[in-house]
Amino acid sequence: MNASTPSQLRPAHPSFREAFFYWLKLGFISFGGPAGQIAVMHQELVEKRRWISEHRFLHALNYCMLLPGPEAQQLAIYIGWLLHRTWGGIVAGTLFVLPSLFILAALTYVYLDFGDVTFVQGVFNGIKPAVVAIVVFAAWRIGARALKNNVLWAMAALSFIAIFALKIPFPYIVLAAGLLGALGGKLMPDKFKVGGGHGASNKQYGPALIDDDTPPIPHTRFRWSYLVVLVLAALALWGAAMLMLPAGTLNDMGEFFTKAALVTFGGAYAVLPYVYQGGVEHYQWLTGTQMIDGLALGETTPGPLIMVVSFVGFVGAWTKEIFGPDALLLAGFAGASVATFFTFLPSFVFILAGAPLVESTHGDLKFTAPLTGITAAVVGVILNLALFFGWHVIFPHATEAAPFSGGFEWFYALISVAAFIALWKYKQDIMKVIGACAAIGLVHTYIV
């Protein structure tokens, strides 16, 4: 028997325990944003373990990319569901974010309790300009992929004007862009063919457990009874959680983060302006500067970047002292947990309800025209976010009444430019750029 023979054998079905520990490990190593997380899952699940074939993996990913919410976590739910039914999906999706919740809560506590220490200040002084560069780079990267013609460029420009000049709330921009995309798909289909999906691949890694020709697995067949029970259970869970929350800050967070979860088309960077509008301007749970710091923490911890909502929840409940001045840590963790629960609950519903329909066909998914319109609008929204963050970093003492007052921080502007060049021209890893900027900020703070 030659050495290549084992790869020609179909792998055994993993036990629930084996899958549990894989999803737990993934929760601790899922750095690098959605692209990095999807790459890690592909390498492990398609290439090494061969639990699912390349085609089936991409088919599931295409569906996840059409939904609001973090596509990498939703892909984990989908594959967990394929392997071990509903509980498999629930475990996979929960373990994808649980380590991040505890790590981010611990770091947020350190940030709030020791944030005035010179060392912590120095690190954040360097990370903030890096965050500005990362958001600008995100706008450029999404724009380069999505804005393939003048119509989409115009939609991006209109969305920027809508949020920057007219202060239109983010959900309305998403809705308008989706409607324009749907209309454009009928009137000018050639302009809206460039959805954000992933194409097919011809790569082969040997027979997979769930392969292209695998007959439909019994539990993946669509059943109306399953759909009705699932939706009713999710609504009951959401309603019970809302009823348990005391009136005030935690109840407001439950409502707000449920809405946020339903408008997160285009990834975490796209929903950040909405979280900013609600968390900073409307509810005043945190300041604009703290929001930048939260994004910096989110970039340096495992899990989806949208986990920044747990930072917002932690800081908001801590700031409002919801359990009194002597229980700030408990308040913060309660806020972080509420934000995380209500942000991610819809993802489970979308996948567990929609996946049986997706599994019934391995053809191309429709509805990419509205997604194309939304993605174009998202570019304008992210650019607005980058300008806002940049303004806070380069003019830290300015106000809206006097936007260029308080002195120009040329050193931090240079760090932002250098970080962007490192990401864009030299294709440096985000974590390395953040680490280098943190070191520079620390040295500069101690010297100056």
Side-chain angles (χ1 to χ4, degrees), residues 359-375:
E359 280 299 297
S360 67
T361 170
H362 297 309
D364 291 333
L365 289 171
K366 304 304 179 187
F367 313 116
T368 54
L371 178 71
T372 301
I374 290 167
T375 306

Side-chain angles (χ1 to χ4, degrees), residues 49-139:
R49 299 179 188 242
R50 290 183 286 123
W51 286 354
I52 186 169
S53 72
E54 171 94 350
H55 178 78
R56 298 290 288 270
F57 182 90
L58 293 174
H59 184 71
L61 179 56
N62 271 332
Y63 173 58
C64 296
M65 291 197 70
L66 289 174
L67 300 171
E71 63 260 37
Q73 188 238 7
Q74 289 169 340
L75 183 61
I77 298 171
Y78 196 118
I79 296 172
W81 167 79
L82 276 177
L83 291 169
H84 293 108
R85 310 171 70 96
T86 303
W87 276 111
I90 291 170
V91 166
T94 302
L95 292 179
F96 196 88
V97 297
L98 207 57
S100 181
L101 170 63
F102 285 99
I103 293 167
L104 207 50
L107 290 174
T108 308
Y109 170 71
V110 171
Y111 165 78
L112 289 170
D113 218 24
F114 305 100
D116 55 350
V117 176
T118 305
F119 177 84
V120 177
Q121 281 184 343
V123 168
F124 275 96
N125 283 345
I127 289 178
K128 285 175 192 175
V131 167
V132 175
I134 289 166
V135 178
V136 173
F137 181 62

Side-chain angles (χ1 to χ4, degrees), residues 123-139 269 272 288-300 305 308 382-383 385-394 412-413 415-420 423 430-431 433-438:
V123 168
F124 275 96
N125 283 345
I127 289 178
K128 285 175 192 175
V131 167
V132 175
I134 289 166
V135 178
V136 173
F137 181 62
Y269 290 110
L272 285 174
T289 302
Q290 286 176 324
M291 186 75 189
I292 303 173
D293 294 341
L295 185 56
L297 283 177
E299 289 279 10
T300 53
L305 183 58
V308 71
I382 297 173
L383 189 59
L385 183 74
L387 279 179
F388 171 80
F389 281 176
W391 174 60
H392 264 282
V393 168
I394 297 168
Y412 297 129
I415 293 180
S416 282
V417 171
F420 178 78
L423 291 165
I430 283 179
M431 296 295 291
V433 171
I434 288 175
C437 292

Side-chain angles (χ1 to χ4, degrees), residues 79-426:
I79 296 172
W81 167 79
L82 276 177
L83 291 169
H84 293 108
R85 310 171 70 96
T86 303
W87 276 111
I90 291 170
V91 166
T94 302
L95 292 179
F96 196 88
V97 297
L98 207 57
S100 181
L101 170 63
F102 285 99
I103 293 167
L104 207 50
L107 290 174
T108 308
Y109 170 71
V110 171
Y111 165 78
L112 289 170
D113 218 24
F114 305 100
D116 55 350
V117 176
T118 305
F119 177 84
V120 177
Q121 281 184 343
V123 168
F124 275 96
N125 283 345
I127 289 178
K128 285 175 192 175
V131 167
V132 175
I134 289 166
V135 178
V136 173
F137 181 62
W140 177 84
R141 194 173 53 195
I142 295 170
R145 190 181 72 230
L147 306 181
K148 298 294 188 185
N149 54 64
N150 292 337
V151 173
L152 299 178
W153 272 101
M155 288 185 69
L158 285 172
S159 79
F160 175 79
I161 293 167
I163 198 163
F164 178 78
L166 306 178
K167 307 296 183 191
I168 294 173
F170 179 68
Y172 296 121
I173 295 173
V174 167
L175 183 63
L179 291 172
L180 281 173
L183 185 65
K186 291 182 178 179
L187 300 178
M188 300 177 286
D190 57 313
K191 300 289 187 185
F192 287 83
K193 280 180 182 172
V194 288
H198 292 254
S201 170
N202 296 318
K203 291 184 181 176
Q204 294 294 326
Y205 302 100
L209 174 66
I210 302 171
D211 217 329
D212 298 356
D213 57 355
T214 302
I217 307 165
H219 75 265
T220 66
R221 291 193 175 97
F222 177 77
R223 300 188 308 278
W224 277 108
S225 57
Y226 173 81
L227 180 63
V228 170
V229 169
L230 178 74
V231 172
L232 289 176
L235 288 172
L237 186 62
W238 181 86
M242 285 298 296
L243 287 172
M244 287 169 62
L245 296 178
T249 299
L250 289 181
N251 198 274
D252 290 341
M253 285 181 179
E255 288 187 9
F256 174 73
F257 287 112
T258 298
K259 293 176 191 170
L262 299 175
V263 297
T264 52
F265 292 97
Y269 290 110
V271 81
L272 285 174
Y274 179 61
V275 175
Y276 171 81
Q277 283 178 335
V280 177
E281 294 176 354
H282 183 70
Y283 292 108
Q284 298 180 338
W285 292 327
L286 72 172
T287 65
T289 302
Q290 286 176 324
M291 186 75 189
I292 303 173
D293 294 341
L295 185 56
L297 283 177
E299 289 279 10
T300 53
T301 50
L305 183 58
I306 194 61
M307 281 300 293
V308 71
V309 299
S310 67
F311 173 88
V312 174
F314 195 108
V315 176
W318 174 294
T319 303
K320 299 295 184 182
E321 298 183 352
I322 59 171
F323 300 142
D326 298 324
L328 295 178
L329 177 58
L330 180 63
F333 190 74
S337 300
V338 166
T340 304
F341 175 82
F342 285 98
T343 298
F344 286 96
L345 178 63
S347 286
F348 290 91
V349 181
F350 291 142
I351 296 298
L352 296 176
L357 290 169
V358 177
E359 280 299 297
S360 67
T361 170
H362 297 309
D364 291 333
L365 289 171
K366 304 304 179 187
F367 313 116
T368 54
L371 178 71
T372 301
I374 290 167
T375 306
V378 158
V379 177
V381 170
I382 297 173
L383 189 59
N384 171 70
L385 183 74
L387 279 179
F388 171 80
F389 281 176
W391 174 60
H392 264 282
V393 168
I394 297 168
F395 294 95
H397 306 294
T399 62
E400 287 200 18
F404 303 111
S405 63
F408 176 79
E409 293 284 353
W410 62 268
F411 183 77
Y412 297 129
L414 284 176
I415 293 180
S416 282
V417 171
F420 178 78
I421 292 171
L423 291 165
W424 173 62
K425 185 173 175 61
Y426 296 104

